[in-house]
């Protein structure tokens, strides 16, 4: 129809995409015909707060790399982290609320309360205990240990080597190398690697002079007094450039032969999306790029055109309803907790049960401790009735020369993931909003206004950061609402009984924590019980994922990119550099409500 000058309706497109995205079709037609034809030069990027997923559209799964970078600092006496937190520790009020939430969960799951001692905690190990992958304790200990990153650069490189290419055809003799400034190759400043990326950056020893930067936290740019907008953008550019060269092996001079698909979460505001587009087109050199909503991509990634998408990320959980291939903006909610909070809650539960070894485990100060807790959570956490204990080997990374370990009984492992339903059990870190001086030389992320359905301006007349916590025009944020209430509120806000019934039977869980065993049946039961009695809904169903829930939004970006033959919404590099893209031009984002139907313009500053 597009070749004949006709514009098919959204419903027609959604129906076609739903059929094309079916599992059988993807296994046959898409890989053999479309992916081979169009996928080899498409790079799909799905950035998150903790990880970034990147890969060719022709890949089955993307590379999933921690979204961080550590830079060597001569004036840094030890490892430092750029994050500026408002609260890192739970106060007495928080702890009281947390303990009350624990008791509610304990009563529901029929496990001991905090004031009680589980009989299994003072008895020999029972025969029915959980183990990772069914391996022996010795295998578990060897497999789960994290080794410190070697921060010393064996072959001396200049500080700009990462900007050119990370590939080398031949090894150079370090003894024959000299630095550009004439220093000897074994001088102090040349002993350390200039930059370290991904998981290696999280395993840097405490005494190493590095500064760890995580450019995205809690679904937004991690801008603060200690982390400028310029540095955030530079870190994003450098991380993505490293992945393109090191993981995808795309030479910078060949980037113009490739196109990029950005799959972005609903929490990002317009300025943040614009900056990421500028990085992709201007700095990384892609010829064209397009932005797709993460919720919409998740629906298509699972072969759906209508669904209530629940994306449980590392630090933010998002709930968005999609109808016939269109995300409904008034249904979007953002909950400021995720998988990382479950991991920290797991540590708190074990310490309250006195089952954790006498190790100084501190995931807030030591990134390697958070890595260890995430591995334990992924291996053991599940929701089930009754006491569920397991045996694991816990490691201590307090001393760099030796890693201590102890075989430990983990108790009440069903409690931490229940924090998704009872968020008072979780104590998320809080980050301050960016200070206004960082935006004096360019447009503010939230300074622009546009008209909403009720005729009010986007920021309601408030200052940019006065309305930051709620973002009423983009996505609603709630601190103490549980996942069940969020799903019910999101679906009921559609206002149509037929659509509500369809959405309640099409709940889709994506993200890392979506794989938690037992979460789906608990959500089904509790959502059904929470729906008001005057609503004619008799059934709630959480759909089974067709692939790893962690990669579904990325895969949806692949599908949307491969099936988009007209590319009307794609932005060309030359157009972006020269004019930017704005409402009224021929190029709009047709599948993204916050880039399509608003009066806010996209201008390149």
């Amino acid at each position: 129809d597009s070749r004949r000058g006709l514009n098919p309706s959204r419903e027609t497109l959604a129906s076609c995409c739903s059929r094309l995205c079916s599992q059988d079709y993807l296994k046959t037609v898409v890989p053999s015909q479309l992916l081979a034809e169009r996928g080899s030069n498409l790079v799909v990027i799905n950035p998150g707060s903790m990880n970034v997923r990147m890969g060719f559209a022709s890949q089955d799964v993307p590379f999933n790399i921690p979204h961080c970078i550590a830079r060597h600092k001569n004036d840094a006496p030890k490892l430092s982290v750029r994050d500026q937190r408002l609260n890192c520790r739970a106060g007495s009020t928080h702890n009281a609320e947390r303990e009350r939430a624990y008791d509610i969960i304990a009563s529901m799951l029929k496990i001991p309360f905090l004031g009680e001692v589980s009989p299994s905690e003072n008895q020999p190990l029972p025969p029915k205990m959980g183990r990772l992958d069914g391996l022996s304790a010795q295998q578990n200990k060897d497999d789960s240990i994290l080794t410190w990153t070697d921060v010393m650069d064996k072959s001396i490189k200049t500080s700009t080597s990462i900007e050119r290419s990370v590939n080398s055809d031949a090894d150079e003799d370090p003894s024959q190398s000299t630095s550009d400034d004439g220093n000897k190759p074994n001088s102090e400043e040349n002993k350390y690697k200039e930059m370290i990326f991904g998981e290696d950056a999280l395993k840097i020893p405490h005494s190493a002079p590095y500064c760890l930067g995580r450019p995205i936290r809690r679904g937004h740019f991690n801008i603060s007094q200690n982390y400028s907008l310029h540095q955030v953008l530079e870190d994003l550019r450098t991380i993505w450039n490293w992945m393109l060269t090191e993981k995808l092996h795309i030479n910078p001079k060949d980037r113009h032969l490739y196109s990029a698909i950005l799959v972005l979460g609903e929490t990002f505001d317009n300025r943040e999306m614009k900056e990421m587009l500028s990085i992709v087109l201007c700095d990384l050199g892609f010829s064209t790029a397009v932005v797709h909503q993460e919720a919409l991509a998740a629906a298509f990634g699972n072969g759906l055109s209508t669904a209530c998408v629940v994306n449980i990320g590392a630090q933010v959980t998002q709930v968005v309803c999609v109808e016939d291939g269109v995300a409904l903006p008034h249904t979007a909610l953002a909950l400021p907790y995720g998988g990382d909070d479950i991991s920290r809650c797991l540590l708190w539960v074990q310490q309250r049960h006195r089952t954790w070894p006498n190790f100084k485990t501190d995931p807030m100060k030591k990134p390697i401790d958070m890595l260890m807790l995430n591995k334990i959570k992924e291996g053991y956490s599940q929701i089930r009735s009754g006491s569920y204990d397991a045996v694991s080997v816990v490691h201590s990374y307090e001393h760099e020369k030796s890693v201590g370990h102890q075989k430990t009984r983990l108790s009440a492992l069903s409690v931490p993931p229940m924090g998704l339903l009872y968020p008072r059990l979780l104590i998320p870190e809080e980050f301050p909003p960016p200070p206004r001086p960082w935006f004096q030389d360019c447009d503010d992320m939230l300074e622009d206004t546009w008209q909403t359905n009720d005729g009010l301006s986007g920021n309601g007349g408030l200052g940019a950061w006065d309305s930051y916590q709620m973002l009423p025009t983009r996505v609603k944020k709630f601190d103490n609402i549980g996942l069940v209430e969020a799903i019910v509120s999101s679906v009921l806000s559609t206002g149509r009984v037929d659509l509500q019934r369809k959405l309640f039977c099409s709940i889709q869980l994506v993200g890392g924590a979506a794989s938690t065993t037992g979460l789906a049946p608990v959500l089904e039961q509790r959502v059904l019980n929470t729906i008001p009695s005057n609503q004619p809904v008799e059934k709630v169903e959480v759909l089974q994922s067709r692939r790893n829930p962690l990669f579904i939004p990325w895969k949806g970006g692949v599908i949307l990119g491969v099936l988009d033959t007209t590319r009307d919404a794609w932005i060309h590099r030359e157009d972006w550099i020269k004019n930017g893209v704005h409402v009224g031009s021929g190029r709009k984002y047709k599948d993204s409500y916050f880039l399509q139907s608003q009066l806010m313009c996209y201008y390149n500053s």
Side-chain angles (χ1 to χ4, degrees):
D1 287 343
S2 61
R3 290 192 298 268
R4 296 162 53 191
L6 301 178
N7 292 320
S9 65
R10 288 184 181 274
E11 291 75 11
T12 302
L13 289 174
S15 176
C16 293
C17 287
S18 180
R19 176 175 56 83
L20 292 174
C21 293
S22 65
Q23 193 173 21
D24 294 337
Y25 193 89
L26 282 174
K27 287 183 177 179
T28 56
V29 179
V30 175
S32 60
Q33 296 181 11
L34 298 180
L35 287 183
E37 181 180 335
R38 306 179 194 143
S40 60
N41 69 335
L42 289 179
V43 176
V44 182
I45 306 173
N46 179 210
S49 299
M50 185 62 188
N51 297 295
V52 54
R53 289 155 289 277
M54 182 185 296
F56 291 112
S58 55
Q59 294 178 212
D60 290 333
V61 295
F63 292 98
N64 186 39
I65 307 295
H67 211 174
C68 58
I69 177 175
R71 298 177 182 270
H72 173 233
K73 297 291 184 181
N74 289 322
D75 56 348
K78 59 181 181 180
L79 178 66
S80 59
V81 181
R82 285 190 182 275
D83 295 342
Q84 179 187 6
R85 299 181 178 90
L86 294 181
N87 70 313
C88 299
R89 306 289 180 185
S92 57
T93 303
H94 291 127
N95 278 328
E97 293 181 349
R98 171 180 266 184
E99 293 183 2
R100 284 195 294 269
Y102 179 99
D103 288 342
I104 293 174
I105 296 171
S107 176
M108 183 179 65
L109 297 180
K110 300 177 182 179
I111 61 178
F113 292 86
L114 280 179
E116 302 173 353
V117 178
S118 173
S120 62
E121 293 178 11
N122 293 326
Q123 294 179 0
L125 297 180
K128 204 173 181 183
M129 303 296 290
R131 290 198 192 284
L132 270 173
D133 303 325
L135 302 176
S136 67
Q138 181 63 34
Q139 287 174 311
N140 278 345
K141 181 189 73 172
D142 295 339
D143 289 348
S144 61
I145 189 172
L146 299 170
T147 58
W148 295 109
T149 297
D150 183 4
V151 299
M152 308 310 293
D153 198 348
K154 299 299 187 273
S155 58
I156 305 303
K157 300 178 182 179
T158 64
S159 60
T160 58
S161 60
I162 188 65
E163 308 297 335
R164 296 193 299 266
S165 175
V166 297
N167 298 324
S168 178
D169 296 329
D171 294 329
E172 296 181 2
D173 184 0
S175 62
Q176 302 297 322
S177 302
T178 57
S179 60
D180 293 340
D181 57 4
N183 293 336
K184 295 181 180 180
N186 59 350
S187 62
E188 183 68 24
E189 65 176 358
N190 284 327
K191 285 186 177 180
Y192 290 98
K193 296 177 181 177
E194 290 282 343
M195 290 171 281
I196 301 176
F197 302 88
E199 185 171 310
D200 287 342
L202 300 176
K203 298 187 296 183
I204 294 178
H206 322 310
S207 62
Y210 282 85
C211 183
L212 178 67
R214 287 177 277 209
I216 299 177
R217 298 290 280 174
R218 298 287 172 189
H220 284 285
F221 284 178
N222 189 18
I223 303 173
S224 70
Q225 296 283 0
N226 301 327
Y227 207 173
S228 68
L229 172 63
H230 172 78
Q231 189 62 55
V232 166
L233 298 178
E234 177 64 19
D235 285 352
L236 274 177
R237 184 193 66 81
T238 307
I239 294 170
W240 293 4
N241 181 66
W242 172 79
M243 291 189 68
L244 290 169
T245 54
E246 176 71 11
K247 301 299 181 182
L248 302 186
H249 305 291
I250 302 178
N251 194 302
K253 66 181 181 181
D254 297 328
R255 302 263 174 86
H256 67 282
L257 302 175
Y258 295 85
S259 298
I261 301 171
L262 278 172
V263 180
L264 302 181
E266 281 68 24
T267 57
F268 290 116
D269 60 46
N270 288 278
R271 172 65 190 280
E272 290 168 324
M273 289 185 289
K274 183 212 122 178
E275 295 292 356
M276 285 186 276
L277 266 173
S278 292
I279 290 174
V280 166
L281 292 172
C282 303
D283 299 328
L284 300 180
F286 284 95
S287 61
T288 57
V290 68
V291 173
H292 286 299
Q293 274 178 274
E294 198 171 42
L296 182 66
F300 282 115
N302 212 23
L304 303 172
S305 61
T306 298
C308 175
V309 179
V310 181
N311 189 346
I312 309 174
Q315 299 173 4
V316 177
T317 297
Q318 304 169 60
V319 181
V320 183
C321 292
V322 177
E323 179 189 12
D324 292 332
V326 179
L328 306 179
H330 57 281
T331 67
L333 295 93
L335 311 175
Y337 49 79
D340 283 2
D341 304 295
I342 296 175
S343 298
R344 292 191 293 112
C345 181
L346 185 147
L347 174 63
W348 176 81
V349 169
Q350 304 313 311
Q351 291 174 337
R352 293 291 285 143
H353 277 263
R354 296 180 175 86
T355 58
W356 198 257
N358 190 24
F359 295 157
K360 294 182 179 179
T361 306
D362 190 348
M364 305 298 289
K365 292 184 178 180
K366 294 186 291 183
I368 195 170
D369 281 345
M370 177 59 83
L371 280 178
M372 176 187 66
L373 290 172
N374 280 334
K375 290 180 181 293
I376 294 176
K377 174 200 67 180
E378 293 165 5
Y380 293 104
S381 287
Q382 58 178 274
I383 299 176
R384 57 189 290 185
S385 181
S387 295
Y388 173 58
D389 297 349
V391 172
S392 177
V393 177
V394 176
H395 295 86
S396 171
Y397 298 97
E398 183 179 355
H399 305 289
E400 299 175 12
K401 293 184 178 180
S402 63
V403 177
H405 64 272
Q406 181 174 324
K407 191 175 181 180
T408 304
R409 180 198 308 274
L410 303 176
S411 299
L413 290 170
S414 297
V415 172
M418 287 294 290
L420 295 173
L421 281 64
Y422 297 90
R424 293 186 184 277
L425 184 70
L426 310 174
I427 308 294
E429 325 99 304
E430 294 180 7
F431 295 89
R436 182 171 296 275
W438 296 121
F439 303 108
Q440 287 180 349
D441 60 343
C442 54
D443 50 320
D444 197 321
M445 287 183 183
L446 301 176
E447 195 66 47
D448 295 288
T449 62
W450 61 95
Q451 296 296 315
T452 58
N453 292 333
D454 55 6
L456 299 177
S457 62
N459 62 7
L462 299 177
W465 299 113
D466 294 336
S467 58
Y468 180 84
Q469 293 300 320
M470 290 298 295
L471 290 176
T473 57
R474 175 71 34 68
V475 55
K476 301 172 186 175
K477 285 192 174 183
F478 297 95
D479 292 336
N480 294 316
I481 185 174
L483 191 54
V484 170
E485 291 78 9
I487 293 174
V488 173
S489 174
S490 178
V491 173
L492 293 183
S493 67
T494 60
R496 289 165 38 205
V497 175
D498 59 331
L499 179 58
Q500 292 169 359
R501 287 176 172 173
K502 185 183 295 187
L503 291 171
F504 276 125
C505 290
S506 305
I507 299 175
Q508 180 185 2
L509 301 181
V510 299
S515 301
T516 303
T517 303
L519 177 60
V522 168
L523 281 179
E524 288 177 344
Q525 177 185 4
R526 295 186 68 82
V527 168
L528 182 60
N529 295 336
T530 306
I531 299 174
S533 58
N534 61 347
Q535 297 292 330
V537 178
E538 299 83 19
K539 183 181 178 181
V540 172
E541 183 178 359
V542 176
L543 301 180
Q544 184 176 1
S545 296
R546 294 173 174 174
R547 50 180 58 88
N548 188 337
L550 181 62
F551 302 136
I552 285 179
W554 180 89
K555 193 64 177 181
V558 170
I559 295 170
L560 289 169
V562 168
L563 297 181
D564 186 3
T565 57
T566 61
R567 293 201 172 189
D568 290 336
W570 291 65
I571 300 175
H572 292 261
R573 184 172 186 267
E574 296 78 9
D575 293 342
W576 182 255
I577 293 175
K578 183 178 180 180
N579 299 318
V581 173
H582 56 88
V583 173
S585 71
R587 298 183 182 275
K588 300 179 183 178
Y589 291 90
K590 297 184 177 180
D591 295 318
S592 187
Y593 69 84
F594 41 67
L595 294 180
Q596 174 214 0
S597 59
Q598 64 203 19
L599 297 180
M600 173 177 284
C601 297
Y602 253 65
Y603 289 108
N604 192 22
S605 57

